[in-house]
Amino acid sequence: MKEILKYLCTWKFWKELFIMTLGMAIAAAAVYYFMMPGKLVLGSISGLSIVVANVLAMVGIPVKVSWIVTVINAVLLIMAWLLIGKEFGAKTVYTAMILGPLLDFWEWVCPYEKLIEPGLTSVMGDPLMDLICFVLVVSISQTILFSINASTGGLDILAKIVNKYLHFDIGVSVTVAGAIICCTAFAINPFRMVVIGLVGTWLNGLALDYFMASVNRRKRICIIAKGHEQEIRSYITDTLQRGCSLYEVIGGYSGEKSLEIQSLLTTDEFSSVMNFIKKHDINAFITAGNVSEVYGLWNRHKNKVEK
């Protein structure tokens, strides 16, 4: 109990709480304004909830989508806690349980009926435009949450399980699980709308992978600067506070031995190294490439370096 109270008083807790709330507010807005008005069903728990709500309404049992979202997420949370781990489960308890209330929040702030022009059936007036807007907005939300080991709940829980045990990409996991849910839309939508939902689920997976790769992208830099190895090494280790590796290389043309410096840097740090080399007029051979994931001892919480 003392450890829990101590954690609640940390900056990390309040920062992540704010990030999770912001991410979920964005996700809820995407669902409320782009999915619900036109009954656009994508492969998500929100999509499944829209189907269930409309089917229940057909048989005379009106239930709000937000309530159904909360119930389904509550069941999936148990799976997250058992199969993924306490940290992911604890964070997702919060994000999953506020999705329903946030849908009601957006309804209170600005009901989508006010945004729908006369003669149209959705906010954008076209299912494809609704789809594009939803995918872009919700992918940003998912990226924000996955970056702190949380999720929007629902399908993200299943995606994380598949990712952890089968090592599939997050985007692929979301797509496969979502396609199954998309097919439930046959109960309320015509064939065309179901196909749009399937395409949207696929695009959501691609967009999520793209945003995740962008957020986690690092630069692998390789530098050969004969006579200046110590200067560059000191700048990387002392000023940037990053690790580096030294390799002895032999020139294929000249046969001369040199030291190659390799390091993994953020984009800003890479720019700083290039500015340092240019400022000191160092004659160097440099190659750089993108690395989408870094595991292990990488320090994500360093202070930014001045360029």
Side-chain angles (χ1 to χ4, degrees), residues 291-302:
V291 177
S292 61
E293 294 285 349
V294 180
Y295 300 97
L297 300 178
W298 176 265
N299 184 1
R300 295 178 179 270
H301 306 292
K302 287 172 62 277

Side-chain angles (χ1 to χ4, degrees), residues 13-49:
F13 169 78
W14 291 105
K15 181 182 73 172
E16 292 190 346
L17 184 68
F18 173 78
I19 292 173
M20 288 187 289
T21 304
L22 175 63
M24 289 308 301
I26 295 173
V31 172
Y32 182 74
Y33 291 111
F34 301 121
M35 284 184 68
M36 290 175 58
K39 299 179 182 179
L40 177 63
V41 177
L42 273 72
S44 64
I45 297 305
S46 299
L48 179 61
S49 299

Side-chain angles (χ1 to χ4, degrees), residues 24 27 78 181 205 239:
M24 289 308 301
I78 299 174
I181 291 179
T239 303

Side-chain angles (χ1 to χ4, degrees), residues 184-210:
T184 65
F186 279 114
I188 62 170
N189 284 337
F191 179 76
R192 175 173 176 270
M193 289 295 293
V194 176
V195 171
I196 290 175
L198 286 167
V199 172
T201 302
W202 173 66
L203 290 176
N204 184 31
L206 294 179
L208 178 57
D209 277 342
Y210 172 78

Side-chain angles (χ1 to χ4, degrees), residues 9 23 51 67 74 96 158 169 176-177 193 212 224 249:
C9 296
V51 173
W67 298 356
L158 297 179
D169 288 339
V176 172
M193 289 295 293
M212 285 293 290
I224 298 177
V249 295

